[in-house]
Amino acid sequence: MYQPVLPQPLYPRYSNGLFRMALTGEPARLTQAFAALRRALGPAATEAPSYGARLPTGDGNDTWDMISLNDDIYVVMADCRYEHPRSELVLSESFVEFHYTLTGSAVASWSRAPAAPSGDLDLVVCHLGAKAQYQITCTPGRRRSVALYVRPEVFDTYLDDATPAARQVRRTLAGVGPDDLHFSRIPLHPAQAATVNQLLCNPYHDSRRLRYVQAKVQELLCASVDLWGDRSSQRGPALTLSSRDMRQLHEARRLLLQDLAAAPTIPQLAAAAGINTAKLKAGFRLLFGCTVYDCLWHARMTHAMTLLEGGASVSDTALAAGYRHASSFSAAFVRHYGYSPRAARQGTNGHAQTSAAVMVT
């Protein structure tokens, strides 16, 4: 059964959380949130194999569209605008999670290891070990996304070992230990983006809505096995980051940025943070969305802009940003901002270009 809008008095309002908090009023597992949804729908939903409803977000008339497919696959769709940041704790239940985002940004964080970002046209795949958990924070603004939470035994039916991608996915899942979290960020293919959009624009508002969602979910999962498996194969063995790995990576970033004028080399950085160089480089891209070099370069250019706008000379700024020669610094600055350090210092950049360059990785 499907109910277009769940009446607001039937659930506890929590203005800064996401759907779990809205339904339970406290940090809760996904299955607990959907059990609360089933209860709110009343006796007719008790025996229904699939059920769903729209849950008000608390921002205007916006809603989350929540659907359970036989309690094997849970679907949460957002086509809304958040007025404030929304944050929730995600507790482990061994689901394989697929998060498809058309518009919007979010950050996943772990114990003492924040900042694994996702944004427009991203597919993020997560799988939590039995003891792992993470915090998800959605930033204010428009969000159009679909999240699928699939029980492992159901997801197993989508893995045909005749295909290399499926075999790679099996190896990835098998490598996730109890304290580990697997996190893959993959560019969303245009064909899958179109399917996500079709889910968000579901034309049916009765029981057919559930059938339409089920068909599109199967389509997405079939394609996502290839996207995930092929991506992991291109990168070599799938990288799984433990809580210890993520703490070491954040310590490496802190050490990298603490002295921009004399930043360590990658081997020096790895040794200081207690992590090997291969995991440092791969983990940096996975956790922070950029290479070690790009992180340092972006920080140096941001610091340089601050110094120049404060009146520092180009030569002094070059040294403070880690460049021996002003000419090399000037070339890097122009590549980053599109205008010269002298123009930035003199305030002659037209003010139309003063925002930091977007880092594409």
Side-chain angles (χ1 to χ4, degrees):
M1 65 165 294
Y2 184 81
Q3 187 164 320
V5 179
L6 193 67
Q8 188 167 333
L10 291 179
Y11 68 93
R13 182 170 178 175
Y14 189 85
S15 60
N16 294 323
L18 293 163
F19 61 92
R20 296 175 186 82
M21 297 289 287
L23 281 161
T24 66
E26 60 185 0
R29 286 182 164 80
L30 183 75
T31 49
Q32 293 173 308
F34 271 88
L37 177 66
R38 189 193 280 271
R39 289 193 299 271
L41 287 171
T46 303
E47 301 300 328
S50 297
Y51 57 93
R54 287 186 176 274
L55 175 69
T57 66
D59 286 330
N61 295 319
D62 286 345
T63 60
W64 294 292
D65 197 355
M66 300 178 59
I67 291 173
S68 168
L69 301 176
N70 299 308
D71 285 330
D72 289 327
I73 300 175
Y74 295 105
V75 185
V76 180
M77 294 174 277
D79 192 351
C80 56
R81 179 176 293 277
Y82 296 141
E83 299 298 330
H84 307 284
R86 298 294 189 108
S87 184
E88 274 191 352
L89 185 65
V90 179
L91 304 173
S92 176
E93 294 177 89
S94 298
F95 288 107
V96 183
E97 303 177 24
F98 295 86
H99 300 270
Y100 309 83
T101 302
L102 299 184
T103 303
S105 60
V107 174
S109 57
W110 297 266
S111 176
R112 293 189 291 165
S118 62
D120 295 352
L121 297 176
D122 269 348
L123 164 58
V124 169
V125 184
C126 292
H127 184 58
L128 289 166
K131 298 179 182 179
Q133 61 185 32
Y134 69 91
Q135 190 86 11
I136 184 68
T137 301
C138 295
T139 58
R142 182 76 186 278
R143 183 164 188 84
R144 301 187 75 233
S145 64
V146 171
L148 307 181
Y149 304 85
V150 189
R151 293 190 185 278
E153 59 272 21
V154 174
F155 184 65
D156 189 64
T157 64
Y158 290 86
L159 300 178
D160 185 342
D161 285 338
T163 63
R167 293 196 297 270
Q168 180 61 50
V169 168
R170 285 193 190 278
R171 286 192 290 269
T172 297
L173 293 175
V176 178
D179 295 315
D180 292 335
L181 182 147
H182 173 85
F183 178 96
S184 290
R185 183 182 178 187
I186 306 164
L188 190 56
H189 190 277
Q192 279 68 66
T195 304
V196 172
N197 188 62
Q198 289 168 347
L199 271 168
L200 293 172
C201 299
N202 191 329
Y204 303 106
H205 299 280
D206 49 32
S207 60
R208 290 175 296 173
R209 189 175 186 86
L210 301 180
R211 295 184 180 276
Y212 185 89
V213 168
Q214 186 170 29
K216 293 299 176 182
V217 164
Q218 290 180 351
E219 182 180 339
L220 272 178
L221 287 175
C222 286
S224 297
V225 168
D226 289 338
L227 286 175
W228 185 17
D230 290 345
R231 182 73 168 181
S232 298
S233 298
Q234 291 168 10
R235 293 179 173 182
L239 177 65
T240 299
L241 299 178
S242 67
S243 298
R244 180 173 182 269
D245 293 332
M246 288 183 277
R247 287 195 294 270
Q248 290 172 321
L249 287 165
H250 274 272
E251 174 63 9
R253 188 173 67 167
R254 186 190 69 79
L255 293 171
L256 178 70
L257 302 181
Q258 71 177 0
D259 185 358
L260 297 177
T265 65
I266 285 180
Q268 290 170 339
L269 186 63
I275 191 170
N276 66 62
T277 56
K279 181 161 279 192
L280 172 68
K281 292 188 285 187
F284 226 83
R285 181 178 287 278
L286 177 63
L287 190 59
F288 304 120
C290 63
T291 65
V292 176
Y293 172 78
D294 283 337
C295 178
L296 177 62
W297 183 50
H298 183 75
R300 281 175 163 173
M301 292 300 103
T302 301
H303 182 53
M305 177 63 80
T306 300
L307 293 177
L308 291 167
E309 290 181 336
S313 69
V314 174
S315 57
D316 287 346
T317 299
L319 291 174
Y323 289 84
R324 288 187 178 184
H325 305 291
S327 58
S328 299
F329 164 69
S330 295
F333 191 92
V334 170
R335 190 166 69 252
H336 190 75
Y337 287 107
Y339 50 89
S340 69
R342 192 172 303 278
R345 185 173 184 274
Q346 296 173 349
T348 57
N349 53 28
H351 301 288
Q353 303 172 348
T354 56
S355 60
V358 175
M359 190 162 52
V360 180
T361 58

